Amino acid sequence: MPAGRQDDPDRALVEATSRGESDALVELMRRNGPWVRGVIFAACGDPSAADDVEQEVWVRAWRRADTLGEPSKWRSWLYALAYHAAVDHARRRRRQKALLGRLLALAPERDTRRDPADRLSSKEGHQRALRAVADLPEPYRVPFVLRHLSGWSYRQIAEAMGLPVPTVETRLVRARRRLRAALAPGAKS
Amino acid sequence: MSDQEETMPPEGVSADVEARIVRRLDGELDGRADEALGRELLRDPGAHRLMDEYAAADAVAGEALRAAFGPQDADGRRQWARLAPRLRRPVRSRAAGIAAAAGVLLTIGAGFLAQSLWPPAKWQAPVPVASSRPARAQPTPAPALPLAVERLVWQVWDAPKAAAHRPSATNVGWVPSSPDRPAGDAAVPLPHIQGPRRSRRAVDRHIFGAFDEAENTIYLLGVDRVRTRVHAVGKDL
């Protein structure tokens, strides 16, 4: 995805951000927020984490903007920031969950099934699809989200993840197989 | 889904066709390959059905992803307002870095210097200091003074005391203090001053130092020279 300034308007924004121009960061957030949130979700599989971790990503991007050596590679750089922030978050969550699990083991058992009314909510379809994506193994989930949320090409995904293009292609095929099975009418939700 | 199912294409569809279906859905097939796949799909209902299922799954998942993570703040300003307090760039000034490094080195150097000049063991031991004040009763005997210090004591204390004891030719005399005769005692026997007397005290404090090379120790000797001037009152009147 080698792109010059004309082909990649975001590159100028990244350069301005590295010079400390906050307006450029605002515009960069507006344009790239969706896929950054998607990467966070894809990396940690937790939809609720996206907003909090995204803030952390932009804070890191602002503070470390001067560490971006090659401005044309800003997308891979931002992807790496988002991915690692999400992985850090997932690690913290696992620790918290383990602690919470030990505490809940001490409490009396209760019914944790979802409320029937909740099942009938209008967002059920989205939630089910999101759960199916979240259940994908992380190597498949990340390229799938980058492709479907951000519209990235195979080449862009491969560059950001540091993988060969055929590997990305294979992972996307396998992600489709799993999703088809998970979203089939008779599949368990 | 088992690992085997994951690595195998759906029944009745070859892996090559499946891969091209996915590439087509992702917009990665060029025109000629796309036309060729279209002709194959017309001939193969199973492959066509698979493409429809993949497309449906893509549509649902993509919609869910965009609903969950798509653009939220129209101008990003609200998000900026939330982030702004946290956006402080660390100072990466070369001069600041050098100054910090120099400060650390100075601190370490001063620590080493202090340790070499004043070893903690010396601080724990009692510092032997000779004094001209009357010695109080001590439960433990005073440590023996090295020769250099004894010589110093003699020079600044014993020798002047012996000289001061010489009787004066006049009826005014200087009386040095000593451990067995405290300073300021107006009733000191001065046989050559007859009748009522008046005395006035003067104190000169001197600090002497002696270095004992054997013990690598500095001894400080504080000497208070208290002189009492005694004169006959009747003579003044």
Side-chain angles (χ1 to χ4, degrees):
Chain A
M1 183 201 43
R5 274 169 202 267
Q6 291 80 15
D7 302 330
D8 186 3
D10 286 353
R11 180 176 158 179
L13 290 174
V14 172
E15 288 172 343
T17 300
S18 68
R19 289 193 300 269
E21 295 177 22
S22 57
D23 284 348
L25 179 66
V26 172
E27 182 60 16
L28 203 63
M29 289 191 305
R30 191 186 68 77
R31 289 192 192 198
N32 297 280
W35 74 257
V36 166
R37 286 194 290 276
V39 168
I40 292 163
F41 160 68
C44 67
D46 178 8
S48 65
D51 281 344
D52 288 343
V53 181
E54 188 198 3
Q55 284 197 32
E56 184 61 37
V57 171
W58 291 118
V59 169
R60 288 185 189 184
W62 174 256
R63 288 181 179 165
R64 300 179 190 173
D66 53 348
T67 64
L68 173 60
E70 181 58 52
S72 64
K73 303 236 172 130
W74 70 270
R75 203 185 296 263
S76 308
W77 172 78
L78 189 55
Y79 166 84
L81 285 181
Y83 181 84
H84 289 121
V87 168
D88 290 346
H89 172 83
R91 198 176 295 130
R92 283 196 301 271
R93 283 295 295 268
R94 271 198 300 274
R95 265 190 244 123
Q96 290 168 355
K97 269 177 121 175
L99 180 63
L100 192 63
R102 286 200 292 272
L103 290 173
L104 287 177
L106 303 173
E109 196 173 340
R110 54 177 269 223
D111 188 1
T112 55
R113 284 175 300 181
R114 295 170 58 206
D115 189 285
D118 190 30
R119 287 174 178 273
L120 298 174
S121 79
S122 60
K123 294 183 179 176
E124 188 189 355
H126 283 175
Q127 287 176 353
R128 186 180 172 204
L130 213 53
R131 272 200 308 279
V133 177
D135 287 342
L136 290 174
E138 189 232 293
Y140 306 160
R141 193 168 58 220
V142 174
F144 184 84
V145 170
L146 288 174
R147 171 73 203 123
H148 285 81
L149 182 63
S150 319
W152 286 16
S153 67
Y154 287 3
R155 193 171 162 188
Q156 286 174 318
I157 296 170
E159 194 174 289
M161 295 182 71
L163 297 170
V165 170
T167 304
V168 171
E169 195 178 327
T170 303
R171 290 185 180 186
L172 282 168
V173 169
R174 291 185 178 181
R176 268 14 181 276
R177 287 179 193 159
R178 280 182 170 258
L179 274 181
R180 171 174 168 260
L183 296 174
K188 280 194 291 183
S189 59
Chain B
M1 175 174 261
S2 69
D3 289 345
Q4 191 178 5
E5 284 173 320
E6 183 184 295
T7 53
M8 296 290 290
E11 198 174 345
V13 180
S14 72
D16 172 60
V17 171
E18 184 194 26
R20 281 189 289 148
I21 287 172
V22 169
R23 279 207 298 272
R24 180 189 225 194
L25 292 173
D26 288 340
E28 295 277 338
L29 272 189
D30 59 26
R32 190 174 296 174
D34 190 68
E35 285 174 16
L37 178 64
R39 285 193 295 274
E40 283 185 52
L41 292 176
L42 286 175
R43 289 195 299 269
D44 185 351
H48 202 291
R49 192 168 51 251
L50 180 68
M51 192 184 77
D52 288 345
E53 289 172 358
Y54 279 175
D58 279 3
V60 173
E63 194 180 332
L65 286 171
R66 282 187 293 277
F69 309 111
Q72 291 172 341
D73 298 335
D75 58 4
R77 294 279 167 194
R78 208 179 329 153
Q79 194 178 10
W80 169 257
R82 280 195 315 228
L83 283 181
R86 300 176 63 194
L87 298 179
R88 299 272 184 277
R89 276 212 172 118
V91 177
R92 287 203 179 91
S93 154
R94 185 184 174 86
I98 291 172
V104 170
L105 287 177
L106 273 177
T107 307
I108 293 171
F112 275 112
L113 189 63
Q115 198 174 12
S116 62
L117 284 180
W118 297 291
K122 298 292 179 191
W123 283 107
Q124 291 163 9
V127 179
V129 173
S131 170
S132 66
R133 292 182 183 277
R136 292 182 180 176
Q138 296 289 330
T140 53
L145 293 175
L147 184 61
V149 179
E150 282 186 355
R151 191 176 297 133
L152 177 68
V153 170
W154 184 84
Q155 284 172 352
V156 302
W157 173 248
D158 293 330
K161 187 174 71 175
H165 266 299
R166 286 197 299 268
S168 171
T170 67
N171 58 353
V172 175
W174 290 101
V175 182
S177 60
S178 67
D180 53 340
R181 190 167 59 202
D185 184 3
V188 290
L190 287 175
H192 59 283
I193 300 178
Q194 303 296 324
R197 295 175 293 182
R198 180 180 293 168
S199 64
R200 195 171 64 203
R201 290 179 67 199
V203 180
D204 297 324
R205 173 162 294 179
H206 300 273
I207 304 293
F208 299 89
F211 179 64
D212 180 21
E213 289 183 354
E215 291 290 326
N216 200 29
T217 305
I218 295 174
Y219 290 86
L220 296 177
L221 182 65
V223 178
D224 287 346
R225 284 192 172 138
V226 183
R227 293 178 296 176
T228 306
R229 191 181 187 203
V230 183
H231 56 91
V233 175
K235 208 161 181 77
D236 287 346
L237 294 175

